[in-house]
Amino acid sequence: MSAKENSFGDLLKVKPIIGMIHLSALPGSPRAHGGFHEVLGRALADAETLAAGGCHALMMENFGDIPFVPGRVTATVVAAMTKVAVEVKRKVSLPLGINVLRNDGISALAIAHAADADFIRVNVLTGARVTDQGVIGGIADVLLREQSATGAGRIKILADVDVKHSAALAARPLADEVKDTLLRGLADAVIVSGSGTGAAVDLNKLKQVREAAQRAPVLIGSGVSVDSLEGLMPYASGFIVGTSLKKDGRADQKVELKRVQDLVQKHKALLERYPAV
């Protein structure tokens, strides 16, 4: 196995902090204003700040493209995100993940493959969820076949369970959802989050996911901050962090270096007590 293929496993050894790059509205979306170079400049600035502050990896998503589409995004969005991803990889030598909202894992995989990124996030890999975009169904069947057909097996799939901004279409045990995501959806890791962007994760929910996932990686997908980190550390394999690193704790603001440094410093101290297993 090459070093590139093993990079995600190596990343998990440090219970990584994965800093979010929330893209501004891309061309064609309702809130788009100014030019694409402004979007690119903001993304690169945030990427450099996250890296300078000590994040272990980055993840990029089209956060500004509300209202999100439930299926495939436009070719314009794919092209724009690919360009940003390529430039981020050129500027910052950290592993990079791609999330195409609301649930376009096919485009995320294509962007990651073209930009030499390392992993993708998929909000609904298996099952079905009721969201503000309507009912969204799992895409594991088409995504995994696309991954195989394009030779993109090195790109890891991080999949949400009980994903934020959604509700279950039908009640079922959380443990069953976790097991289906890993064993039938073939996710490489699962993500557990709070009810919405920046919302804290319920600790009991996290413990249930951790137990059901057994030795599979479990990442926290929202609500991670300096204050909440210690309570999450014993159960998490990594942390996807966005709003708490931004000015005023707002996702649409720029990343602030001191916020990143404070979280990384706290993480380093806690890692000695709660090492990766």
Side-chain angles (χ1 to χ4, degrees), residues 9 14 19-20 28 36 62 92 135 158 184 190 224 247 253 270:
V14 295
M20 283 300 308
F36 174 70
N62 55 325
V92 178
V135 177
L158 284 52
R184 296 170 70 86
V190 294
V224 179
K247 180 181 178 182
Q253 296 296 305
L270 291 171

Side-chain angles (χ1 to χ4, degrees), residues 130-190:
V130 180
T131 75
D132 51 309
Q133 296 81 36
V135 177
I136 294 180
I139 59 170
D141 57 332
V142 293
L143 178 61
L144 271 293
R145 283 169 175 78
E146 183 74 7
Q147 185 185 44
S148 178
T150 56
R154 66 172 185 81
I155 298 170
K156 303 303 182 184
I157 299 172
L158 284 52
D160 285 87
V161 291
D162 192 28
V163 67
K164 58 188 176 181
H165 298 289
S166 77
L169 185 60
R172 67 191 301 245
L174 180 59
D176 289 350
E177 183 178 343
V178 173
K179 292 173 184 176
D180 278 355
T181 301
L182 290 167
L183 301 179
R184 296 170 70 86
L186 301 183
D188 296 294
V190 294

Side-chain angles (χ1 to χ4, degrees), residues 213-235:
Q214 298 183 3
R215 296 189 65 83
V218 176
L219 289 86
I220 309 299
S222 72
V224 179
S225 66
V226 170
D227 294 333
S228 68
L229 187 63
E230 184 167 3
L232 302 171
M233 200 76 175
Y235 311 102

Side-chain angles (χ1 to χ4, degrees), residues 16-241:
I17 294 175
I18 302 172
M20 283 300 308
I21 301 171
H22 290 126
L23 296 179
S24 305
L26 298 173
S29 67
R31 289 189 170 180
H33 65 277
F36 174 70
H37 289 291
E38 181 179 335
V39 176
L40 177 60
R42 168 74 173 273
L44 292 177
D46 280 352
E48 290 181 301
T49 302
L50 291 165
C55 285
H56 307 97
L58 307 174
M59 184 179 290
M60 181 184 84
E61 69 181 18
N62 55 325
F63 184 83
D65 284 349
I66 55 173
F68 303 121
V69 297
R72 300 292 299 275
V73 298
T74 65
T76 301
V77 170
V78 175
M81 291 187 70
T82 302
K83 172 65 174 176
V84 176
V86 167
E87 294 301 325
V88 167
K89 290 291 286 185
R90 183 175 289 136
K91 280 275 188 181
V92 178
S93 58
L94 290 176
L96 175 65
I98 306 294
N99 185 22
V100 181
L101 300 167
R102 172 67 159 155
N103 200 49
D104 192 353
I106 300 294
S107 291
L109 183 70
I111 295 164
H113 202 24
D116 201 29
D118 303 271
F119 51 93
I120 65 174
R121 180 176 184 174
V122 180
N123 287 173
V124 186
L125 185 66
T126 60
R129 305 289 297 183
V130 180
T131 75
D132 51 309
Q133 296 81 36
V135 177
I136 294 180
I139 59 170
D141 57 332
V142 293
L143 178 61
L144 271 293
R145 283 169 175 78
E146 183 74 7
Q147 185 185 44
S148 178
T150 56
R154 66 172 185 81
I155 298 170
K156 303 303 182 184
I157 299 172
L158 284 52
D160 285 87
V161 291
D162 192 28
V163 67
K164 58 188 176 181
H165 298 289
S166 77
L169 185 60
R172 67 191 301 245
L174 180 59
D176 289 350
E177 183 178 343
V178 173
K179 292 173 184 176
D180 278 355
T181 301
L182 290 167
L183 301 179
R184 296 170 70 86
L186 301 183
D188 296 294
V190 294
I191 300 171
V192 58
S193 62
S195 60
T197 301
V201 173
D202 178 82
L203 192 57
N204 289 329
K205 175 181 171 181
L206 173 59
K207 290 178 180 179
Q208 290 180 56
V209 174
R210 175 71 276 167
E211 182 177 0
Q214 298 183 3
R215 296 189 65 83
V218 176
L219 289 86
I220 309 299
S222 72
V224 179
S225 66
V226 170
D227 294 333
S228 68
L229 187 63
E230 184 167 3
L232 302 171
M233 200 76 175
Y235 311 102
S237 307
F239 308 89
I240 301 170
V241 192

